[in-house]
Amino acid sequence: MQNTGTHRTAAPGTATPTPTHCPYCALQCGMSLAPVEGGTVEVVERTDFPVNRGALCGKGRTAPQVLAPGARLTSPLVRSGDGALVPAGWDDALDRIAGNLERTRARYGADALGVFGGGGLTNEKAYALGKFARVVLGTSQIDYNGRFCMSSAAAAGTRAFGLDRGLPFPLEDIPRTGCVILVGSNPAETMPPFLRYLTELRENGGTLIVVDPRRTKTAEQADLHLAPRPGTDLALALGMLHLVVAEGRVDQGYVEERTSGWEEARAAAMAHWPEYVERITGVSVPELREAVRMFCAPEAAMVLTARGPEQQAKGTDTVGAWINLCLATGRAGRPLSGYGCLTGQGNGQGGREHGQKADQLPGYRKLTDPAARRHVAGVWGVDPDSLPGPGRSAYELLDALGTDVRSLLVMGSNPVVSAPRAAHVEGRLRSLDFLAVCDVVLSETAALADVVLPVTQWAEETGTTTNLEGRVLLRRRAITPPDGVRGDLEVLHSLAGRLGVEKGFPTEPEEVFEELRRASAGGPADYSGIDYRRLARENGVFWPCPAPPAPDGTDDTDGTTDVPGTGPVPHPGTPRLFLDRFATDDGRARFVPVAHRPSAEEPDDEYPVLLTTGRVVAQYQSGAQTRRVAELNAAAPGPFVELHPRLAARLGAAEGDPLAVVSRRGRAVAPARITTGIRPDTVFMPFHWPGAGRANTLTNPALDPTSRMPEFKVCAVRVEVAR
């Protein structure tokens, strides 16, 4: 399985394929990049990496095409006097950014400066960006687009288990369990190589339950497909827990030995009797009973959630309800059982661990924890009191642009397409005094900037990412970037120097990682026992992986300790969490009582239909890169509105007719795609495209009170034929 990519000469010493990882989703599939005759680059199968075992989706196979100079930026751009973006030299571009940031800070204060990062940045870049915001700029106003991805699952996992890691077990455990409930996920399109785990599950005699309002390609593989009304996943989980109690399926011994808070959670669930849940969700009582039977029958089972239940204004409670179901049945912290989140973005896991999130410091430490502040400040060589406190979450930061936040640096994100209420966010970006964007391509957000910096991408740089299992991986540089392109670490180094901080921002990724190890040491996400040599040798290492103390009691910098007669003994990493105890103070998992509540915006006479959004297999996230690949565009050329034949008949719409979908925030137009695989009260739009078909023009920015996740997955709309 290989694909010819771009014409690019190889870096010295790369005549043989360079093992690396895909730049897209959180599987971080293994691949190799090989230069071929004529200076082109091709993707070659890499069967030694256990996650994908050589398999790649179309996005991974065609990833080198975005390396082509015609597809990507190769020179800094600055806004000229007539309003156009024109090429400029690096010194000019960096001087403009530094000068504008300094003027904004002098006039309005440090918190008038904002930083917006991305879940695709390597661990090194995410770490350096958080440090840059807090040490160089002195601002609290930093967050990232991962807030829009898995933040509700992270909040619920931390609340219940004391620690968030997307999957607390390796992917290899999934085919060996007895039943998987997959809630709001369509990996057949979002991460196709993952589907083999579900296929192997069923081949091994296990069962698959898929919860999704659409009959997706994944749902077609299920033994049972539950199609609840969008926004009712919380009620569905509570209804199943009610039946677990009523049918005597609670694992009382486990509940008593390993959990706390059961009686309160039990009482909350018992208020959601099956017939009541059927009215809310549209899932019949017999289907509910069958789902409970399938989940409880085997010795081991799992619940996996994704954006469906998480991207709601009650997402944290919704995930919490599914966790309660796992705890009540003894399906957490036991072999081949547990709750897990299928993280979406390439480094969505690592990106939220090391400091680019508004409320966190490296190592998944809390910014409000005095001990955490002292530790990280010591590594950074600054006064702990100089570190700003927590800032605004992602949408709240974007909403404050042009008023409280006057200048913004964006690195690796495209909120013009990806943010909820996107037309409003675009307007806030336009209202800024100054906008700088670092990106590989001229994204829709970069097109609004005063300065655009062309930066390296995955094949042109070395760095680490952390996949959805918590496996820290090493991406290796395979090719030389074009002239005129620099790395993000070089950008931060140069800006820090111009803003008066000469030291502390190295440009070599391994040097940054060594500092990250020290900053994370002792934190929940402890990387201190991991180094580049181990990552290359072991095909990745699961965190937490602390560095054992050296025999003299000092920290050992290479992650090993010398044991007399045995030599260095590294910590093995932690593929499976919680088998002995949970990461709470008392070692017990916490039940949290939750109750169903309506979505932030329910249908009414003016907006009688529900909209839900998602992805298609040939595009990725905001599409900034995949929309530049001809093969992928041929497979998915543009947006569409998926609707049921009954709704189409009421509208008088035929296949391919332009449909206007209108919410309280705006209007989007795209062709009709009619299918019986969606509920009659619901329409679906993919969110990869800008312009008239931009789905996020419509979505609701109502926020979860805990995670600050916007309610992407459900809002009220009306649909009409756009004649």
Side-chain angles (χ1 to χ4, degrees):
M1 183 185 297
Q2 55 188 357
N3 186 79
T4 298
T6 65
H7 54 284
R8 181 67 51 74
T9 56
T14 57
T16 57
T18 301
T20 188
H21 295 272
C22 179
Y24 292 117
C25 83
L27 286 179
Q28 288 296 279
C29 291
M31 60 166 61
S32 290
L33 291 177
V36 295
E37 187 177 354
T40 59
V41 178
E42 66 180 4
V43 171
V44 181
E45 283 186 2
R46 180 183 164 196
T47 57
D48 69 308
F49 186 61
V51 168
N52 61 307
R53 289 171 266 168
L56 293 168
C57 72
K59 295 186 290 291
R61 288 186 296 103
T62 61
Q65 293 186 24
V66 187
L67 299 168
R72 50 91 58 82
L73 296 167
T74 56
S75 170
L77 303 173
V78 300
R79 190 73 60 183
S80 67
D82 63 3
L85 282 173
V86 298
W90 270 94
D91 284 340
D92 179 20
L94 290 166
D95 287 345
R96 290 191 188 210
I97 296 173
N100 277 281
L101 295 178
E102 189 57 66
R103 282 190 290 275
T104 297
R105 181 167 60 182
R107 183 172 181 182
Y108 299 106
D111 274 358
L113 303 176
V115 177
F116 199 84
L121 300 179
T122 62
N123 290 319
E124 292 81 357
K125 292 192 282 190
Y127 171 83
L129 187 63
K131 181 180 178 182
F132 177 83
R134 296 180 174 104
V135 172
V136 178
L137 300 182
T139 182
S140 66
Q141 301 303 302
I142 175 172
D143 211 73
Y144 81 126
N145 62 17
R147 179 77 68 171
F148 299 157
C149 187
M150 74 299 290
S151 59
S152 292
T158 301
R159 193 165 69 177
F161 306 131
L163 180 68
D164 155 56
R165 194 180 83 185
L167 294 180
F169 41 76
L171 287 163
E172 67 186 45
D173 285 1
I174 293 174
R176 300 163 56 207
T177 192
C179 178
V180 170
I181 302 180
L182 187 64
V183 188
S185 178
N186 181 19
E189 299 207 54
T190 59
M191 46 179 66
F194 174 85
L195 202 62
R196 74 191 312 163
Y197 292 97
L198 302 180
T199 301
E200 291 170 5
L201 165 75
R202 299 184 71 211
E203 289 173 349
N204 291 340
T207 55
L208 174 64
I209 302 169
V210 171
V211 179
D212 199 305
R214 304 168 61 221
R215 188 163 182 80
T216 63
K217 292 179 180 179
T218 305
E220 290 173 355
Q221 308 299 313
D223 298 283
L224 177 63
H225 172 213
L226 306 179
R229 183 175 177 267
T232 64
D233 310 89
L234 174 53
L236 181 67
L238 288 165
M240 290 182 65
L241 182 53
H242 178 111
L243 286 171
V244 164
V245 175
E247 295 176 0
R249 298 180 185 271
V250 175
D251 188 332
Q252 293 289 353
Y254 174 92
V255 168
E256 292 171 7
E257 293 170 12
R258 300 205 59 190
T259 72
S260 63
W262 165 236
E263 288 305 322
E264 294 83 355
R266 176 188 178 280
M270 296 313 288
H272 298 75
W273 60 94
E275 292 77 11
Y276 172 57
V277 170
E278 180 181 73
R279 291 198 300 273
I280 294 170
T281 65
V283 176
S284 70
V285 173
E287 288 176 312
L288 282 171
R289 293 187 183 279
E290 178 63 7
V292 169
R293 185 198 66 77
M294 290 170 61
F295 184 66
C296 294
E299 183 177 345
M302 298 175 179
V303 172
L304 305 177
T305 68
R307 307 301 80 76
E310 298 163 20
Q311 287 182 328
Q312 298 184 30
K314 52 180 181 290
T316 301
D317 284 355
T318 300
V319 173
W322 290 105
I323 291 175
N324 286 349
L325 179 66
C326 290
L327 294 177
T329 53
R331 308 304 176 90
R334 282 178 167 173
L336 306 182
S337 286
Y339 162 77
C341 162
L342 298 181
T343 300
Q345 295 191 76
N347 196 30
Q349 181 67 52
R352 68 184 186 264
E353 294 168 1
H354 297 301
Q356 66 170 331
K357 198 161 172 258
D359 55 354
Q360 285 178 348
L361 288 169
Y364 233 148
R365 287 181 160 91
K366 294 180 180 179
L367 192 52
T368 54
D369 179 1
R373 294 170 67 88
R374 285 193 300 272
H375 174 84
V376 174
V379 174
W380 289 350
V382 300
D383 183 343
D385 292 337
S386 71
L387 298 178
R392 293 176 172 87
S393 70
Y395 179 77
E396 291 166 303
L397 173 57
L398 295 171
D399 190 41
L401 300 181
T403 53
D404 295 333
V405 177
R406 308 301 292 256
S407 292
L408 182 70
L409 172 64
V410 176
M411 188 172 283
S413 188
N414 188 19
V416 167
V417 178
S418 63
R421 198 185 174 195
H424 172 74
V425 168
E426 181 178 346
R428 301 320 307 154
L429 286 161
R430 291 181 183 276
S431 73
L432 283 164
D433 295 349
F434 180 77
L435 172 63
V437 174
C438 303
D439 211 330
V440 173
V441 298
L442 189 65
S443 69
E444 288 72 25
T445 302
L448 302 180
D450 298 287
V451 178
V452 183
L453 299 181
V455 291
T456 52
Q457 52 181 311
W458 105 109
E460 301 163 347
E461 60 187 12
T462 294
T464 62
T465 61
T466 306
N467 80 346
L468 76 174
E469 309 165 287
R471 188 195 301 253
V472 185
L473 304 166
L474 180 63
R475 286 185 187 168
R476 299 168 176 88
R477 173 170 163 164
I479 54 177
T480 303
D483 292 339
V485 173
R486 298 185 185 180
D488 294 282
L489 295 178
E490 294 178 80
V491 170
L492 295 175
H493 171 84
S494 298
L495 290 176
R498 283 168 167 79
L499 291 166
V501 180
E502 300 290 341
K503 296 181 179 180
F505 290 88
T507 60
E508 288 300 319
E510 188 169 6
E511 188 175 349
V512 177
F513 190 81
E514 288 301 304
E515 183 178 302
L516 182 157
R517 292 175 61 197
R518 292 188 289 119
S520 73
D526 190 335
Y527 283 31
S528 60
I530 305 172
D531 61 29
Y532 275 28
R533 289 171 296 169
R534 285 195 66 181
L535 295 177
R537 185 173 64 246
E538 300 177 29
N539 241 339
V541 178
F542 290 86
W543 71 260
C545 182
D552 61 2
T554 61
D555 289 338
D556 191 1
T557 57
D558 70 355
T560 63
T561 185
D562 292 326
V563 178
T566 65
V569 179
H571 187 285
T574 315
R576 296 169 181 87
L577 298 171
F578 313 139
L579 293 181
D580 299 318
R581 70 190 308 275
F582 294 96
T584 56
D585 291 340
D586 60 4
R588 291 172 171 262
R590 304 185 189 100
F591 282 97
V592 178
V594 294
H596 170 72
R597 58 185 185 270
S599 298
E601 190 175 80
E602 291 287 337
D604 56 22
D605 291 343
E606 187 176 2
Y607 300 98
V609 177
L610 291 169
L611 168 70
T612 193
T613 64
R615 288 170 48 191
V616 297
V617 67
Q619 301 289 352
Y620 180 72
Q621 303 298 76
S622 75
Q625 295 188 48
T626 52
R627 285 188 272 112
R628 287 165 168 79
V629 177
E631 179 182 326
L632 300 179
N633 280 336
F640 57 86
V641 180
E642 186 177 280
L643 72 164
H644 192 275
R646 279 192 283 181
L647 178 56
R650 289 204 302 271
L651 299 172
E655 181 77 13
D657 280 354
L659 294 182
V661 183
V662 184
S663 77
R664 290 176 173 86
R665 290 154 294 282
R667 181 177 189 265
V669 179
R673 183 174 294 184
I674 301 173
T675 174
T676 57
I678 192 169
R679 292 174 55 97
D681 58 1
T682 301
V683 295
F684 167 83
M685 292 186 71
F687 59 75
H688 309 290
W689 289 273
R694 180 173 60 186
N696 277 321
T697 296
L698 308 168
T699 49
N700 191 352
L703 300 179
D704 180 286
T706 302
S707 68
R708 315 309 287 168
M709 166 74 85
E711 192 154 70
F712 287 98
K713 284 301 181 203
V714 53
C715 69
V717 298
R718 67 172 181 269
V719 185
E720 53 204 23
V721 177
R723 299 298 183 189

